[in-house]
Amino acid sequence: MLLMADLYNYRQALDEAAFAAHLVEEDTRTIWFEHEDIQAADEPYLLPLLGETFTSWRKDTDEQGMSANGFFVLTDLTGNVIGSAGTLGMDRLSEALAIAKRAASVATKTAGTTEDEQGMVAVPILTRSDRRPFCVLVYVTEHIASQQADTVAQLSAMHFRTCFYRRFEQLFIKDLLLYQKRTDKEASRRDALFLAAKRLYDQFDVSSVLSEMLSSLEQLYPESVAQLYLSQDHVNGDPRVKPLVFKNAAHDLVAKSFLEGKLVTELDRDGTKRLAVPMTGKQSAYGVLCLTVNATRWDDADLPAFLLLADTAGSAFENAKLYEQSNLLINELRLINELTKRLNQSLKLKEIFKFASSELLNVFKADYCCVLQLNKEKNQFVVTASNIPVMANEHFSPEYGFCGIVYRTKEPLIISDYWHTRVVSSKLMDNTGARSLIATPIMVDSEVVGVIMVAHKSANYFSYDNYKLLQVMSTHIGLAITNASLHAEVRRMVITDNLTGLHARHYLNEQIQSRQRKDPLGALILVDIDHFKQINDTYGHQVGDQILVHVSNIIRNSIRQGDIAARWGGEELAVYLPGIRSDQAYRIAERIRTHVEAETQPVVTVSCGVSEWTFENEKISVESLFYRADMALYEAKNNGRNRIYIGQAN
């Protein structure tokens, strides 16, 4: 049984091998083009091919010595001589050619071998598919018998026919290889275009789309120079991206392409070819893509790829612009929502101003922003929020600068280049070196209550859309400022602690923050009444309040007029000493501690924590100053109370 199975498998393997060999045979016949032949369309190229074949055949014939005993002539179907070979005297050459033409004519009509009485044989060369003559080979001889001459002519014709079809197949294969090369090139270009289109559509930023498009052009056409002329307002750092200017549309290649909406080409005298095609989306044309290349290196087959890339870039640019505009609208809505939320949370007026200033900087991508509020009592504008330190808390007359223009006209304004159109003097523009400005009034009940100014260092930076957007935003900011002013007014009414008469904690924080922007150094003392809860529990809260007031008076009498004392919380008090180092602050704290212990009744003591800051510190902030003082106070209380410790900087 095993033997029968093995024989069966062996037989099956033989069958499969035979079938595979058959396929190979079929493939081989296909590869060698056995069924391919010359067609009517090949006739214009037939004569050169016959001439090349005859030259090759003649070389083989000379090597075999077949032309030593005769003369060969190749003619076309009309009798024109294509080539000749062999030995024949000059006196017989013209006669032989004349006889060959006549014999060729006869052989063409009969499509068979023709013999002449003067030792000449004419053999028509037939196609291999339909046996149709396409040329005639004539053999002339005087040295061999007629029957032998016929045999030589027949064999030579067969040899020539073989040489011809070998040449024909070589040309056919050459054309196939050329076609394959072009096909591979097109496939490679399609792949490159697909990847370029994918990268373009993956971008959501306008600048990224433009950079990606120009990079793709450099990859597709490495020996060219690509430039993009935009009709849109867009700031781009790439020198290849330029504004589209209509100076002479009739002779300007770029302007003509944009206006006509089609491809425009021109050839310069130096052999440079320029192509300009509109970069168009679904809504409109956004610019013109211009390619400069050496005319000798340009192939018109590359044109469809160039046009397709321009269309793809136009769509990608349009999508990025729409995305950019939607983001702008979203930012506007987000700002309004944030302002409303801040207002409902009853935030401080200064925080509202700072928030509005930071949001305006983000929305407009600006360098500087100032929000000014009109103080009606003093009749002056006050800078309430700004990212420019020197402008903090600055005061201006309602007649001064751009805020004065906005105040008088109650209209927004836009300045494209302050350096070239200095309408008025502006401290904001002069101190920062800014050139572009948009400003708008903050209106409440048809009255100007403030001015918003947004500036940038570059000229012609702000667009008309920016100008209109700032107007819309100022309306919402005005509402926020109006309501926040009520909170600010209440906060000013409670700037001091009702019990101690000292400043409130938030005022102390603001003052320290302000001083840190102006002063080179300062110190902070935190004062805590020891065992204050025990005083309240023993003597009652009324006595505890009296002790708190008494200690506050001692602190007030122990500091300078410019120093700031505040109730930090509960029984904790704080003193900020501008321009004072920690060693001097320690002496002042010691004075307070001594007086409290000597003058209070019932007797209480205090523990103090001292910290300082200087402009040399890596981190200057109110929080870090309080943190170091609080840690020092904690150490003083843990080490027995009624003592002073100085906090060390990290």
Side-chain angles (χ1 to χ4, degrees):
M1 293 297 292
L2 291 174
L3 181 61
M4 292 298 294
D6 293 340
L7 288 174
Y8 175 77
N9 292 334
Y10 180 68
R11 177 60 181 273
Q12 188 177 14
L14 288 176
D15 292 342
E16 292 177 354
F19 181 71
H22 173 70
L23 290 180
V24 170
E25 183 180 357
E26 288 294 330
D27 290 343
T28 303
R29 286 201 300 268
T30 302
I31 292 174
W32 289 103
F33 312 106
E34 285 190 355
H35 302 293
E36 296 295 333
D37 206 344
I38 57 175
Q39 306 295 331
D42 299 324
E43 291 181 0
Y45 312 100
L46 189 59
L47 190 60
L49 181 59
L50 288 172
E52 294 174 3
T53 304
F54 187 81
T55 302
S56 176
W57 173 84
R58 177 181 177 179
K59 182 179 179 182
D60 292 344
T61 302
D62 291 342
E63 291 178 357
Q64 298 297 327
M66 295 181 65
S67 60
N69 297 321
F71 186 69
F72 290 95
V73 180
L74 181 69
T75 69
D76 60 10
L77 299 182
T78 61
N80 295 321
V81 177
I82 298 174
S84 61
T87 58
L88 195 65
M90 293 297 297
D91 56 336
R92 298 291 310 279
L93 180 60
S94 58
E95 180 184 356
L97 290 176
I99 295 172
K101 289 183 179 181
R102 185 173 67 253
S105 175
V106 174
T108 302
K109 293 177 181 179
T110 62
T113 304
T114 301
E115 298 183 11
D116 192 90
E117 66 279 359
Q118 298 186 17
M120 182 190 67
V121 181
V123 183
I125 309 299
L126 306 179
T127 60
R128 60 186 178 186
S129 59
D130 54 3
R131 312 296 293 176
R132 176 174 52 86
F134 60 91
C135 66
V136 178
L137 182 66
V138 180
Y139 178 55
V140 181
T141 181
E142 297 177 346
H143 306 288
I144 59 178
S146 174
Q147 184 177 1
Q148 188 177 0
D150 181 70
T151 302
V152 172
Q154 292 286 352
L155 292 175
S156 299
M158 292 175 62
H159 182 211
F160 178 83
R161 184 173 181 269
T162 301
C163 291
F164 173 80
Y165 276 105
R166 182 179 62 189
R167 197 82 178 176
F168 172 77
E169 288 167 354
Q170 289 176 351
L171 290 177
F172 195 85
I173 293 174
K174 183 178 179 181
D175 289 341
L176 285 178
L177 292 175
L178 182 60
Y179 177 78
Q180 181 64 36
K181 183 178 180 181
R182 290 180 177 176
T183 303
D184 292 343
K185 182 179 179 182
E186 287 299 321
S188 176
R189 188 159 298 249
R190 282 196 301 270
D191 292 341
L193 283 172
F194 174 77
L195 293 176
K198 185 178 183 302
R199 290 194 299 266
L200 282 172
Y201 283 119
D202 285 343
Q203 307 298 327
F204 292 98
D205 178 69
V206 173
S207 296
S208 299
V209 169
L210 299 181
S211 299
E212 185 61 46
M213 179 195 63
L214 293 171
S215 298
S216 298
L217 277 174
E218 289 179 349
Q219 294 176 7
L220 290 171
Y221 309 102
E223 297 181 354
S224 64
V225 177
Q227 292 178 319
L228 177 64
Y229 296 86
L230 279 180
S231 61
Q232 302 281 316
D233 290 333
H234 181 70
V235 178
N236 189 289
D238 196 325
R240 297 170 297 180
V241 179
K242 303 177 181 180
L244 179 58
V245 180
F246 298 92
K247 292 183 178 180
N248 189 355
H251 298 88
D252 186 2
L253 179 77
V254 174
K256 186 176 181 181
S257 175
F258 183 82
L259 294 175
E260 295 181 359
K262 64 180 182 181
L263 172 71
V264 178
T265 62
E266 69 177 14
L267 185 63
D268 294 339
R269 294 180 179 178
D270 59 355
T272 300
K273 187 169 186 176
R274 299 180 66 215
L275 303 94
V277 62
M279 189 179 71
T280 308
K282 293 182 179 179
Q283 297 182 354
S284 64
Y286 300 98
V288 175
L289 189 60
C290 186
L291 193 68
T292 304
V293 64
N294 192 314
T296 59
R297 298 183 180 275
W298 174 258
D299 186 354
D300 288 338
D302 297 332
L303 186 58
F306 178 58
L307 297 176
L308 181 59
L309 183 61
D311 287 341
T312 304
S315 299
F317 180 85
E318 185 174 73
N319 292 338
K321 288 292 290 184
L322 292 174
Y323 180 78
E324 185 180 78
Q325 292 172 3
S326 65
N327 277 342
L328 189 62
L329 294 175
I330 290 171
N331 287 336
E332 178 185 352
L333 294 175
R334 182 173 58 84
L335 175 60
I336 296 169
N337 181 63
E338 289 294 332
L339 286 175
T340 304
K341 185 169 67 174
R342 293 284 182 103
L343 179 63
N344 293 335
Q345 292 175 347
S346 300
L347 296 177
K348 300 175 183 178
L349 181 64
K350 195 173 186 67
E351 292 177 350
I352 291 291
F353 289 149
K354 288 184 178 180
F355 174 75
S357 176
S358 64
E359 284 298 301
L360 290 170
L361 288 170
N362 291 333
V363 169
F364 295 106
K365 308 299 181 186
D367 292 326
Y368 309 105
C369 178
C370 276
V371 180
L372 300 94
Q373 185 182 18
L374 180 63
N375 187 328
K376 293 184 179 180
E377 296 179 358
K378 297 182 179 180
N379 191 31
Q380 60 184 8
F381 281 103
V382 182
V383 177
T384 53
S386 175
N387 66 327
I388 311 167
V390 296
M391 296 290 292
N393 298 321
E394 281 281 355
H395 299 75
F396 298 102
S397 166
E399 303 297 324
Y400 175 79
F402 293 114
C403 65
I405 295 177
V406 173
Y407 177 71
R408 290 191 302 272
T409 61
K410 296 184 180 181
E411 294 289 339
L413 62 83
I414 180 169
I415 301 297
S416 298
D417 192 349
Y418 174 72
W419 293 1
H420 293 157
T421 56
R422 191 180 293 266
V423 180
V424 293
S425 296
S426 171
K427 190 172 184 179
L428 166 65
M429 306 298 281
D430 292 335
N431 288 352
T432 61
R435 300 179 67 173
S436 300
L437 173 74
I438 48 175
T440 186
I442 302 174
M443 306 292 294
V444 175
D445 296 331
S446 302
E447 295 294 330
V448 178
V449 299
V451 175
I452 299 172
M453 295 195 296
V454 183
H456 196 275
K457 293 179 181 179
S458 302
N460 306 304
Y461 178 77
F462 297 110
S463 65
Y464 181 73
D465 290 337
N466 299 146
Y467 171 78
K468 298 298 292 183
L469 177 59
L470 184 61
Q471 286 182 265
V472 175
M473 296 175 68
S474 68
T475 303
H476 300 283
I477 294 173
L479 179 61
I481 289 176
T482 300
N483 292 310
S485 296
L486 299 175
H487 293 280
E489 186 64 27
V490 172
R491 188 169 63 86
R492 282 194 294 270
M493 292 175 61
V494 294
I495 196 172
T496 56
D497 180 66
N498 291 333
L499 177 63
T500 63
L502 300 179
H503 290 296
R505 177 175 176 172
H506 65 84
Y507 178 78
L508 177 66
N509 292 344
E510 293 173 1
Q511 289 301 309
I512 294 176
Q513 188 176 22
S514 176
R515 291 286 187 171
Q516 285 182 334
R517 290 195 295 264
K518 299 178 181 179
D519 298 342
L521 52 89
L524 176 70
I525 303 173
L526 289 184
V527 182
D528 184 82
I529 301 176
D530 298 329
H531 303 296
F532 187 71
K533 184 177 183 303
Q534 186 177 347
I535 295 294
N536 285 331
D537 294 342
T538 303
Y539 300 101
H541 287 281
Q542 186 174 2
V543 174
D545 290 346
Q546 292 175 357
I547 291 294
L548 193 57
V549 171
H550 194 178
V551 172
S552 299
N553 290 333
I554 291 173
I555 291 175
R556 187 182 294 108
N557 294 330
S558 301
I559 60 177
R560 302 169 301 177
Q561 184 177 1
D563 298 335
I564 305 167
R567 186 177 181 182
W568 199 45
E571 71 275 16
E572 291 181 322
L573 309 172
V575 181
Y576 179 69
L577 308 169
I580 294 295
R581 299 298 298 263
S582 58
D583 53 348
Q584 295 173 283
Y586 182 91
R587 290 193 291 270
I588 296 173
E590 179 63 24
R591 185 189 311 157
I592 294 172
R593 188 195 67 79
T594 304
H595 282 280
V596 168
E597 187 177 15
E599 298 176 10
T600 54
Q601 188 62 37
V603 177
V604 296
T605 60
V606 295
S607 299
C608 301
V610 177
S611 65
E612 69 173 10
W613 71 271
T614 68
F615 70 95
E616 298 174 347
N617 295 143
E618 292 184 2
K619 182 179 181 182
I620 300 175
S621 66
V622 178
E623 291 78 10
S624 61
L625 188 66
F626 270 105
Y627 176 78
R628 292 197 301 272
D630 196 33
M631 290 297 99
L633 177 61
Y634 178 79
E635 190 174 358
K637 296 178 77 67
N638 279 352
N639 286 277
R641 293 183 172 84
N642 193 23
R643 61 194 67 233
I644 304 166
Y645 275 81
I646 299 177
Q648 301 298 322
N650 295 331

